[in-house]
Amino acid sequence: MNDIKPLAGKKVAILATNGFEQSELTSPRDALLNAGAEVDIISQRGGEITGWSGKNWADEVKVDKTLDEVKAEYYDGLVLPGGLINPDTLRQDKNAINFIQGFFSDNANKPVAAICHGPWLLAEAGVLKGRKVTSYSSISTDLKNAGADWVDEPVVVDNGLVTSRNPDDLPAFNKKVLEEIREGRHHA
């Protein structure tokens, strides 16, 4: 293993659309790139997507691939940034949900990380039953209703699934994302 670039050779997808929380996409992306991973920003359409910061639209991020160009099997891990608009839009997209489910299939069990409102997508994908998770507090009931064991902690790891509450948790979140992707597939 390369200690300088511990994720060299790993390929990670970040699934997002307009309205993603700016820091929740850029901070994990930068941590992954610095660790040597190849990162693709995946969205519904090509071009650029616009982030959200505070009460305003933020920076644009280039989309590398669209959902119709990718499959979970192409990647070693998945990151789901939050924001309010981003996951609410994506959870209504069948292709986005199918992509997410591919990381949880019996023969996959790849690391997945979701922060803030990002776990809404995991509830929609039906992959939370019996899993310990955290999220932005306003969606805790939704996650519990999806079968999750919700806790209020900065970062929670459950068999390769990493979840966090908000941008303040990004240092702990990023550290666990890198660890889980370095470890690779998890066996239930």
Side-chain angles (χ1 to χ4, degrees):
M1 180 174 79
N2 184 340
D3 288 333
I4 298 167
K5 297 288 185 186
L7 297 185
K10 299 279 189 175
K11 194 167 183 179
V12 181
I14 298 178
L15 176 61
T17 192
N18 290 317
F20 62 89
E21 177 64 37
Q22 190 77 31
S23 63
E24 293 172 359
L25 184 149
T26 58
S27 179
R29 177 199 63 197
D30 294 349
L32 288 160
L33 290 171
N34 288 337
E38 183 181 336
V39 178
D40 282 343
I41 305 297
I42 314 288
S43 195
Q44 296 154 306
R45 288 178 255 350
E48 294 181 329
I49 53 175
T50 305
W52 187 264
S53 184
K55 296 183 178 173
N56 300 297
W57 289 101
D59 299 333
E60 292 182 337
V61 172
K62 182 184 175 297
V63 172
D64 297 304
K65 302 230 187 292
T66 59
L67 279 165
D68 59 357
E69 297 176 302
V70 297
K71 294 181 180 175
E73 63 203 52
Y74 301 168
Y75 297 95
D76 298 298
L78 172 65
V79 176
L80 302 171
L84 189 58
I85 301 165
N86 166 58
D88 195 42
T89 300
L90 287 172
R91 70 183 178 150
Q92 300 173 63
D93 185 314
K94 190 179 209 60
N95 290 331
I97 298 306
N98 288 340
F99 182 65
I100 293 165
Q101 288 169 333
F103 287 84
F104 289 90
S105 65
D106 289 340
N107 58 352
N109 271 332
K110 296 178 181 182
V112 173
I115 187 167
C116 196
H117 287 78
W120 250 349
L121 291 163
L122 302 172
E124 191 65 35
V127 297
L128 291 179
K129 191 169 178 73
R131 303 295 289 264
K132 183 178 176 185
V133 299
T134 194
S135 68
Y136 196 74
S137 62
S138 68
I139 67 168
S140 64
T141 300
D142 295 339
L143 302 185
K144 290 173 191 172
N145 288 341
D149 173 17
W150 189 89
V151 295
D152 185 8
E153 296 175 11
V155 66
V156 173
V157 180
D158 182 326
N159 197 28
L161 176 61
V162 179
T163 51
S164 281
R165 303 171 300 189
N166 57 55
D168 293 340
D169 299 332
L170 279 165
F173 179 75
N174 291 345
K175 182 179 180 211
K176 288 299 182 184
V177 169
L178 297 180
E179 278 179 29
E180 294 302 310
I181 290 173
R182 190 181 70 243
E183 288 174 13
R185 258 169 229 234
H186 288 66
H187 303 284

